[in-house]
Coordinates of all heavy atoms in Angstrom, one line a residue:
M1 N 42.1 75.6 -88.1 CA 43.2 75.2 -87.2 C 42.6 74.2 -86.2 O 41.7 74.5 -85.5 CB 43.8 76.4 -86.5 CG 44.8 76.1 -85.5 SD 45.2 77.5 -84.6 CE 47.0 77.6 -84.9
A2 N 43.1 73.0 -86.2 CA 42.6 72.0 -85.3 C 43.3 72.1 -83.9 O 44.5 72.3 -83.8 CB 42.9 70.6 -85.8
T3 N 42.5 71.8 -82.9 CA 43.1 71.8 -81.5 C 43.2 70.4 -81.1 O 42.5 69.5 -81.5 CB 42.1 72.6 -80.6 OG1 40.9 71.9 -80.6 CG2 41.9 74.0 -80.9
Q4 N 44.2 70.2 -80.3 CA 44.5 68.8 -79.8 C 43.9 68.8 -78.3 O 44.0 69.7 -77.5 CB 46.0 68.6 -79.7 CG 46.6 68.6 -81.0 CD 48.1 68.2 -81.0 OE1 48.7 68.1 -79.9 NE2 48.7 68.0 -82.1
P5 N 43.4 67.6 -78.0 CA 42.8 67.4 -76.6 C 43.9 67.5 -75.6 O 45.1 67.2 -75.8 CB 42.2 66.0 -76.7 CG 42.9 65.3 -77.7 CD 43.3 66.4 -78.7
F6 N 43.6 68.0 -74.3 CA 44.5 68.1 -73.3 C 44.9 66.8 -72.8 O 44.0 65.8 -72.6 CB 43.9 68.9 -72.1 CG 44.7 68.9 -70.9 CD1 45.8 69.7 -70.8 CD2 44.5 68.1 -69.8 CE1 46.6 69.8 -69.7 CE2 45.3 68.1 -68.7 CZ 46.4 69.0 -68.6
Q7 N 46.2 66.5 -72.6 CA 46.7 65.2 -72.0 C 47.3 65.5 -70.7 O 48.1 66.5 -70.6 CB 47.6 64.5 -73.0 CG 47.0 64.1 -74.3 CD 48.1 63.3 -75.2 OE1 49.2 63.4 -74.9 NE2 47.6 62.7 -76.1
R8 N 47.0 64.8 -69.7 CA 47.6 64.9 -68.4 C 49.2 64.6 -68.5 O 49.5 63.6 -69.1 CB 46.9 64.0 -67.4 CG 47.5 64.1 -66.0 CD 46.8 63.2 -65.1 NE 47.4 63.2 -63.8 CZ 47.1 62.3 -62.8 NH1 46.1 61.6 -63.0 NH2 47.8 62.4 -61.8
P9 N 50.0 65.4 -68.0 CA 51.4 65.2 -68.1 C 51.8 63.9 -67.3 O 51.2 63.7 -66.2 CB 52.1 66.4 -67.5 CG 51.0 67.1 -66.7 CD 49.7 66.7 -67.3
S10 N 52.7 63.2 -67.8 CA 53.2 62.1 -67.0 C 54.2 62.5 -65.9 O 54.7 63.6 -65.8 CB 54.0 61.1 -67.9 OG 55.2 61.7 -68.3
A11 N 54.4 61.6 -64.9 CA 55.2 61.9 -63.8 C 56.7 62.1 -64.3 O 57.3 63.0 -63.7 CB 55.1 60.8 -62.8
F12 N 57.1 61.4 -65.3 CA 58.4 61.6 -65.8 C 58.6 63.0 -66.4 O 59.6 63.7 -66.2 CB 58.7 60.5 -66.9 CG 60.1 60.7 -67.4 CD1 61.2 60.3 -66.6 CD2 60.3 61.1 -68.7 CE1 62.5 60.4 -67.1 CE2 61.6 61.2 -69.2 CZ 62.7 60.8 -68.4
M13 N 57.6 63.5 -67.0 CA 57.6 65.0 -67.6 C 57.6 65.9 -66.4 O 58.3 66.9 -66.5 CB 56.4 65.2 -68.4 CG 56.4 64.5 -69.8 SD 54.8 64.6 -70.7 CE 54.7 66.3 -70.8
I14 N 56.9 65.7 -65.4 CA 56.9 66.6 -64.2 C 58.2 66.5 -63.5 O 58.8 67.6 -63.3 CB 55.8 66.2 -63.2 CG1 54.4 66.4 -63.9 CG2 55.8 67.0 -62.0 CD1 53.2 65.8 -63.1
L15 N 58.7 65.4 -63.3 CA 60.0 65.3 -62.6 C 61.2 65.9 -63.5 O 62.1 66.5 -63.0 CB 60.3 63.8 -62.2 CG 59.5 63.3 -61.2 CD1 59.8 61.7 -61.0 CD2 59.5 64.0 -59.9
G16 N 61.0 65.7 -64.8 CA 62.0 66.2 -65.7 C 62.0 67.7 -65.7 O 63.0 68.4 -65.8
A17 N 60.8 68.3 -65.6 CA 60.6 69.7 -65.6 C 61.3 70.3 -64.4 O 61.9 71.4 -64.3 CB 59.1 70.2 -65.7
L18 N 61.1 69.6 -63.2 CA 61.7 70.0 -61.9 C 63.3 70.0 -62.0 O 63.9 70.9 -61.5 CB 61.2 69.2 -60.8 CG 59.7 69.4 -60.3 CD1 59.4 68.4 -59.3 CD2 59.5 70.9 -59.9
A19 N 63.8 68.9 -62.6 CA 65.2 68.8 -62.8 C 65.8 69.9 -63.7 O 66.9 70.3 -63.5 CB 65.5 67.4 -63.3
A20 N 65.0 70.3 -64.7 CA 65.4 71.3 -65.6 C 65.5 72.7 -65.1 O 66.1 73.6 -65.5 CB 64.6 71.3 -66.8
A21 N 64.8 73.0 -63.9 CA 64.7 74.2 -63.2 C 65.3 74.1 -61.9 O 64.5 74.3 -60.9 CB 63.3 74.8 -63.3
P22 N 66.6 73.8 -61.7 CA 67.1 73.7 -60.3 C 66.9 74.9 -59.4 O 66.7 74.7 -58.2 CB 68.5 73.4 -60.5 CG 68.9 74.0 -61.9 CD 67.6 73.9 -62.7
G23 N 66.9 76.1 -59.9 CA 66.6 77.3 -59.0 C 65.2 77.2 -58.4 O 65.0 77.5 -57.2
A24 N 64.3 76.8 -59.3 CA 62.9 76.9 -58.8 C 62.6 75.6 -57.9 O 62.0 75.7 -56.8 CB 61.9 76.8 -60.0
A25 N 63.3 74.5 -58.2 CA 63.1 73.4 -57.3 C 63.8 73.6 -55.9 O 63.3 73.1 -55.0 CB 63.8 72.1 -58.0
A26 N 64.9 74.3 -55.9 CA 65.5 74.6 -54.6 C 64.7 75.5 -53.8 O 64.8 75.3 -52.6 CB 66.9 75.2 -54.9
A27 N 64.0 76.4 -54.4 CA 63.2 77.4 -53.6 C 62.0 76.6 -53.0 O 61.5 77.0 -51.9 CB 62.6 78.5 -54.5
Q28 N 61.4 75.6 -53.6 CA 60.3 74.9 -53.1 C 60.6 73.5 -53.0 O 60.5 72.7 -53.9 CB 59.1 75.0 -54.0 CG 58.6 76.5 -54.1 CD 57.4 76.6 -55.0 OE1 57.0 75.6 -55.7 NE2 56.8 77.7 -55.0
Q29 N 61.1 73.0 -51.8 CA 61.5 71.6 -51.6 C 60.3 70.8 -51.5 O 59.4 71.1 -50.8 CB 62.4 71.5 -50.3 CG 63.7 72.0 -50.4 CD 64.6 71.3 -51.5 OE1 64.5 70.2 -51.7 NE2 65.4 72.1 -52.2
P30 N 60.1 69.7 -52.3 CA 59.0 68.9 -52.2 C 58.8 68.2 -50.8 O 59.8 67.8 -50.2 CB 59.0 67.9 -53.3 CG 60.4 68.0 -53.8 CD 61.1 69.2 -53.3
T31 N 57.6 68.1 -50.3 CA 57.4 67.5 -49.0 C 56.4 66.4 -49.3 O 55.6 66.4 -50.2 CB 57.0 68.5 -48.0 OG1 55.8 69.1 -48.4 CG2 58.0 69.4 -47.6
G32 N 56.3 65.5 -48.3 CA 55.3 64.4 -48.4 C 55.8 63.2 -49.1 O 57.0 63.0 -49.4
V33 N 54.9 62.4 -49.5 CA 55.2 61.1 -50.1 C 54.5 61.0 -51.5 O 53.2 61.2 -51.5 CB 54.7 59.9 -49.2 CG1 55.1 58.6 -49.9 CG2 55.6 60.0 -47.8
L34 N 55.2 60.6 -52.5 CA 54.7 60.4 -53.8 C 55.0 58.9 -54.1 O 56.1 58.4 -54.0 CB 55.4 61.2 -54.8 CG 55.0 61.0 -56.3 CD1 53.5 61.3 -56.6 CD2 55.9 61.8 -57.2
V35 N 53.9 58.1 -54.6 CA 54.2 56.7 -54.9 C 53.8 56.6 -56.4 O 52.8 57.0 -56.9 CB 53.2 55.8 -54.1 CG1 53.3 54.4 -54.6 CG2 53.5 55.8 -52.6
L36 N 54.8 56.1 -57.1 CA 54.7 55.9 -58.6 C 54.5 54.4 -58.8 O 55.5 53.7 -58.5 CB 55.9 56.4 -59.4 CG 56.3 57.9 -59.0 CD1 57.6 58.3 -59.7 CD2 55.2 58.8 -59.6
R37 N 53.3 54.0 -59.4 CA 53.1 52.5 -59.5 C 53.2 52.2 -61.0 O 52.9 53.0 -61.9 CB 51.6 52.2 -59.0 CG 51.6 52.3 -57.5 CD 50.3 51.8 -57.2 NE 50.3 51.3 -55.8 CZ 49.3 50.9 -55.0 NH1 48.1 50.8 -55.6 NH2 49.5 50.5 -53.8
H38 N 53.3 51.0 -61.2 CA 53.4 50.3 -62.6 C 54.4 51.0 -63.5 O 54.1 51.4 -64.6 CB 52.0 50.3 -63.1 CG 51.1 49.6 -62.3 ND1 51.1 48.3 -62.0 CD2 49.9 50.1 -61.6 CE1 50.0 48.0 -61.2 NE2 49.4 49.0 -60.9
A39 N 55.6 51.2 -62.9 CA 56.7 51.9 -63.8 C 57.7 50.8 -64.1 O 57.9 49.9 -63.4 CB 57.4 53.0 -62.9
N40 N 58.4 51.1 -65.2 CA 59.6 50.3 -65.7 C 60.8 51.2 -65.4 O 60.9 52.2 -66.0 CB 59.5 50.0 -67.1 CG 58.3 49.0 -67.4 OD1 58.2 47.9 -66.8 ND2 57.5 49.4 -68.4
V41 N 61.5 50.7 -64.4 CA 62.7 51.6 -63.9 C 63.9 51.1 -64.5 O 64.3 49.9 -64.4 CB 62.7 51.5 -62.3 CG1 63.9 52.3 -61.8 CG2 61.4 52.0 -61.7
I42 N 64.6 51.9 -65.1 CA 65.9 51.7 -65.7 C 67.0 52.2 -64.7 O 67.0 53.5 -64.5 CB 66.1 52.3 -67.1 CG1 65.2 51.6 -68.0 CG2 67.6 52.1 -67.6 CD1 65.1 52.2 -69.4
D43 N 67.9 51.4 -64.1 CA 68.9 51.8 -63.2 C 70.2 51.5 -63.8 O 70.4 50.9 -64.9 CB 68.8 51.3 -61.8 CG 68.9 49.8 -61.7 OD1 69.2 49.2 -62.7 OD2 68.7 49.3 -60.7
A44 N 71.3 52.0 -63.2 CA 72.6 51.7 -63.7 C 73.3 50.4 -63.2 O 74.4 50.1 -63.6 CB 73.6 52.9 -63.3
V45 N 72.5 49.6 -62.5 CA 73.0 48.4 -61.9 C 72.5 47.1 -62.6 O 73.5 46.3 -63.0 CB 72.6 48.3 -60.5 CG1 73.1 47.0 -59.7 CG2 73.1 49.5 -59.7
Q46 N 71.3 47.0 -62.9 CA 70.7 45.8 -63.5 C 70.8 45.9 -65.0 O 70.6 47.0 -65.6 CB 69.3 45.6 -63.0 CG 69.3 45.4 -61.5 CD 67.9 45.1 -61.0 OE1 67.1 44.5 -61.7 NE2 67.6 45.4 -59.8
A47 N 70.9 44.8 -65.7 CA 71.0 44.8 -67.2 C 69.6 45.0 -67.7 O 69.5 45.6 -68.7 CB 71.5 43.5 -67.6
Q48 N 68.6 44.6 -67.1 CA 67.2 44.7 -67.5 C 66.4 45.7 -66.7 O 66.7 45.8 -65.5 CB 66.5 43.4 -67.5 CG 67.0 42.3 -68.4 CD 67.0 42.7 -69.9 OE1 65.9 43.2 -70.3 NE2 68.0 42.5 -70.7
P49 N 65.4 46.4 -67.2 CA 64.6 47.2 -66.4 C 63.9 46.4 -65.3 O 63.6 45.3 -65.5 CB 63.6 47.9 -67.3 CG 64.1 47.6 -68.7 CD 65.0 46.3 -68.6
I50 N 63.6 47.1 -64.2 CA 62.7 46.6 -63.2 C 61.3 46.9 -63.6 O 60.8 47.9 -63.6 CB 63.0 47.2 -61.8 CG1 64.5 47.1 -61.4 CG2 62.1 46.6 -60.7 CD1 64.8 48.0 -60.2
R51 N 60.6 45.7 -64.0 CA 59.3 45.9 -64.6 C 58.2 46.0 -63.6 O 58.3 45.3 -62.5 CB 59.0 44.7 -65.6 CG 60.1 44.7 -66.7 CD 59.5 44.1 -68.0 NE 60.6 44.2 -69.1 CZ 60.8 45.2 -69.9 NH1 60.1 46.3 -69.8 NH2 61.8 45.1 -70.8
D52 N 57.2 46.8 -63.8 CA 56.1 46.9 -63.0 C 56.5 47.2 -61.6 O 56.0 46.6 -60.6 CB 55.1 45.7 -63.0 CG 53.7 45.9 -62.5 OD1 53.3 47.1 -62.7 OD2 53.1 45.0 -61.9
A53 N 57.4 48.2 -61.4 CA 57.9 48.5 -60.1 C 57.1 49.5 -59.5 O 56.3 50.3 -60.1 CB 59.4 49.0 -60.3
T54 N 57.3 49.7 -58.2 CA 56.6 50.8 -57.3 C 57.9 51.6 -56.9 O 58.7 51.1 -56.2 CB 55.8 50.2 -56.3 OG1 54.8 49.4 -56.7 CG2 55.2 51.3 -55.4
V55 N 57.8 52.9 -57.1 CA 58.8 53.8 -56.6 C 58.2 54.7 -55.5 O 57.1 55.4 -55.8 CB 59.4 54.7 -57.8 CG1 60.4 55.6 -57.3 CG2 59.9 53.8 -58.9
I56 N 58.8 54.8 -54.4 CA 58.4 55.6 -53.3 C 59.3 56.8 -53.1 O 60.5 56.6 -52.9 CB 58.2 54.9 -52.0 CG1 57.2 53.7 -52.3 CG2 57.7 55.7 -50.9 CD1 57.1 52.8 -51.1
V57 N 58.7 58.0 -53.3 CA 59.6 59.2 -53.2 C 59.1 60.0 -52.0 O 58.0 60.2 -51.8 CB 59.3 60.2 -54.5 CG1 60.1 61.4 -54.3 CG2 59.7 59.4 -55.7
Q58 N 60.1 60.2 -51.1 CA 59.7 60.9 -49.8 C 60.5 62.1 -49.7 O 61.8 62.1 -49.8 CB 60.0 60.0 -48.7 CG 59.5 60.4 -47.3 CD 59.5 59.4 -46.2 OE1 60.0 58.4 -46.4 NE2 58.8 59.7 -45.2
D59 N 59.9 63.3 -49.5 CA 60.6 64.6 -49.4 C 61.5 64.9 -50.5 O 62.6 65.4 -50.3 CB 61.2 64.6 -48.0 CG 60.3 64.5 -46.8 OD1 59.2 65.0 -47.0 OD2 60.7 64.0 -45.8
G60 N 61.0 64.5 -51.7 CA 61.8 64.8 -52.9 C 62.9 63.8 -53.3 O 63.7 64.1 -54.3
K61 N 63.1 62.8 -52.5 CA 64.2 61.8 -52.8 C 63.6 60.4 -52.8 O 62.7 60.1 -52.1 CB 65.2 61.9 -51.6 CG 65.9 63.2 -51.5 CD 67.0 63.2 -50.4 CE 67.7 64.5 -50.5 NZ 68.6 64.6 -49.4
I62 N 64.1 59.6 -53.7 CA 63.7 58.3 -53.9 C 64.1 57.4 -52.6 O 65.2 57.4 -52.2 CB 64.3 57.5 -55.1 CG1 63.8 58.3 -56.4 CG2 64.0 56.1 -55.1 CD1 64.5 57.7 -57.6
A63 N 63.0 57.0 -51.9 CA 63.2 56.3 -50.7 C 63.4 54.8 -50.9 O 64.3 54.1 -50.3 CB 62.1 56.5 -49.7
R64 N 62.5 54.2 -51.8 CA 62.6 52.8 -52.1 C 62.1 52.6 -53.6 O 61.2 53.3 -54.1 CB 61.7 52.0 -51.3 CG 62.1 51.9 -49.8 CD 61.3 50.9 -49.1 NE 59.8 51.0 -49.4 CZ 58.9 50.2 -49.0 NH1 59.3 49.2 -48.1 NH2 57.7 50.2 -49.3
I65 N 62.6 51.5 -54.2 CA 62.1 50.9 -55.5 C 61.8 49.5 -55.2 O 62.7 48.7 -54.8 CB 63.1 51.1 -56.6 CG1 63.4 52.6 -56.8 CG2 62.6 50.5 -57.9 CD1 64.5 52.9 -57.9
V66 N 60.6 49.1 -55.4 CA 60.2 47.8 -55.1 C 59.7 47.1 -56.4 O 58.8 47.7 -57.1 CB 59.0 47.8 -54.0 CG1 58.5 46.4 -53.8 CG2 59.4 48.4 -52.8
S67 N 60.0 45.9 -56.7 CA 59.6 45.2 -57.8 C 58.2 44.7 -57.4 O 58.0 44.0 -56.4 CB 60.5 43.9 -58.1 OG 59.9 43.3 -59.2
G68 N 57.2 45.1 -58.2 CA 55.8 44.7 -57.9 C 55.2 45.8 -57.1 O 55.6 47.0 -57.1
S69 N 54.1 45.5 -56.4 CA 53.4 46.5 -55.5 C 54.0 46.6 -54.1 O 54.7 45.6 -53.6 CB 52.0 46.2 -55.5 OG 51.7 44.9 -55.3
A70 N 53.7 47.7 -53.5 CA 54.3 48.0 -52.1 C 53.0 48.6 -51.3 O 52.2 49.1 -51.9 CB 55.4 48.8 -52.1
T71 N 53.2 48.6 -50.1 CA 52.2 49.2 -49.2 C 52.4 50.7 -49.4 O 53.4 51.3 -49.3 CB 52.5 48.8 -47.7 OG1 52.4 47.4 -47.6 CG2 51.4 49.5 -46.9
V72 N 51.2 51.4 -49.6 CA 51.3 52.8 -49.8 C 51.1 53.5 -48.4 O 50.2 53.2 -47.6 CB 50.0 53.2 -50.7 CG1 50.0 54.8 -50.7 CG2 50.2 52.6 -52.0
P73 N 52.1 54.4 -48.1 CA 52.0 55.1 -46.9 C 50.7 56.0 -46.8 O 50.3 56.6 -47.8 CB 53.3 56.0 -46.8 CG 54.2 55.4 -47.9 CD 53.3 54.7 -48.9
P74 N 50.2 56.1 -45.6 CA 49.0 57.0 -45.4 C 49.3 58.4 -45.8 O 50.3 59.0 -45.6 CB 48.8 56.9 -43.9 CG 49.6 55.8 -43.4 CD 50.7 55.6 -44.3
G75 N 48.3 58.9 -46.6 CA 48.4 60.3 -47.0 C 49.3 60.5 -48.4 O 49.5 61.6 -48.8
A76 N 49.8 59.5 -48.9 CA 50.7 59.6 -50.1 C 49.8 59.9 -51.4 O 48.7 59.4 -51.4 CB 51.4 58.3 -50.3
E77 N 50.4 60.6 -52.2 CA 49.9 60.8 -53.5 C 50.3 59.7 -54.4 O 51.5 59.4 -54.4 CB 50.3 62.2 -54.2 CG 49.8 62.4 -55.5 CD 50.3 63.7 -56.1 OE1 50.9 64.5 -55.5 OE2 49.9 64.0 -57.2
V78 N 49.4 59.0 -55.2 CA 49.7 57.9 -56.0 C 49.4 58.1 -57.4 O 48.4 58.7 -57.8 CB 48.8 56.7 -55.5 CG1 49.1 55.5 -56.4 CG2 49.0 56.4 -54.0
L79 N 50.4 57.9 -58.2 CA 50.3 58.1 -59.6 C 50.6 56.7 -60.3 O 51.6 56.1 -60.0 CB 51.4 59.1 -60.2 CG 51.2 60.5 -59.8 CD1 52.4 61.3 -60.4 CD2 50.0 61.1 -60.3
D80 N 49.6 56.3 -61.2 CA 49.8 55.1 -62.0 C 50.5 55.4 -63.3 O 49.9 56.1 -64.1 CB 48.4 54.5 -62.2 CG 48.5 53.1 -62.8 OD1 49.6 52.8 -63.5 OD2 47.6 52.4 -62.8
L81 N 51.7 54.9 -63.5 CA 52.4 55.3 -64.7 C 52.0 54.4 -65.9 O 52.5 54.7 -67.0 CB 53.8 55.3 -64.4 CG 54.3 56.3 -63.4 CD1 55.9 56.3 -63.3 CD2 53.8 57.7 -63.7
G82 N 51.4 53.3 -65.6 CA 50.9 52.5 -66.8 C 52.0 52.0 -67.7 O 51.8 51.9 -68.9
G83 N 53.1 51.5 -67.1 CA 54.2 51.0 -67.8 C 55.1 51.9 -68.5 O 56.0 51.5 -69.2
K84 N 55.1 53.2 -68.2 CA 56.1 54.2 -68.7 C 57.4 53.9 -68.0 O 57.5 53.2 -66.9 CB 55.6 55.6 -68.4 CG 54.4 56.0 -69.2 CD 54.1 57.4 -69.0 CE 53.0 57.9 -70.0 NZ 51.7 57.5 -69.8
Y85 N 58.4 54.5 -68.5 CA 59.8 54.2 -68.1 C 60.3 55.4 -67.3 O 60.1 56.5 -67.6 CB 60.7 54.0 -69.4 CG 60.6 52.6 -69.9 CD1 59.5 52.3 -70.8 CD2 61.5 51.6 -69.6 CE1 59.4 51.1 -71.3 CE2 61.3 50.4 -70.1 CZ 60.3 50.1 -71.0 OH 60.1 48.8 -71.5
L86 N 61.1 55.0 -66.2 CA 61.7 56.1 -65.3 C 63.2 55.8 -65.4 O 63.7 54.7 -65.4 CB 61.2 55.9 -63.9 CG 59.8 56.3 -63.6 CD1 59.5 56.1 -62.1 CD2 59.5 57.7 -63.9
L87 N 63.9 57.0 -65.4 CA 65.4 56.9 -65.3 C 65.8 57.7 -64.1 O 66.1 58.9 -64.2 CB 66.0 57.5 -66.6 CG 65.6 56.9 -67.9 CD1 66.0 57.8 -69.1 CD2 66.3 55.5 -68.0
P88 N 65.7 57.1 -62.9 CA 66.0 57.9 -61.7 C 67.3 58.6 -61.7 O 67.5 59.6 -61.0 CB 66.0 56.8 -60.6 CG 65.1 55.8 -61.2 CD 65.4 55.8 -62.7
G89 N 68.4 58.1 -62.4 CA 69.7 58.8 -62.4 C 69.6 60.1 -63.0 O 70.5 61.0 -62.9
L90 N 68.7 60.5 -63.9 CA 68.6 61.7 -64.6 C 67.8 62.8 -63.8 O 67.9 64.0 -64.2 CB 67.8 61.6 -65.9 CG 68.5 60.7 -66.9 CD1 67.7 60.5 -68.2 CD2 69.8 61.2 -67.2
I91 N 67.4 62.5 -62.6 CA 66.6 63.4 -61.8 C 67.5 64.1 -60.8 O 68.3 63.4 -60.2 CB 65.4 62.8 -61.2 CG1 64.5 62.3 -62.4 CG2 64.7 63.7 -60.3 CD1 63.4 61.5 -61.9

């Protein structure tokens, strides 16, 4: 039986897991700032994805989506998504 190497979960997988368990997420409200860099963001407004975007999540809610890079707030956790896609409307 072959084993597969451990792969670090993507931010989308983590956010998706939180959305799938609303009871658990409600019990532990996220605090602080999370910065997701190098994401391709698909929103319901624009025809094309926002490529290489920076998404700033503050206290569990999306505060800003910036095309390109943005200033990282002090003390923020930063995740490099390496071109992965985000669908903020599903969270």
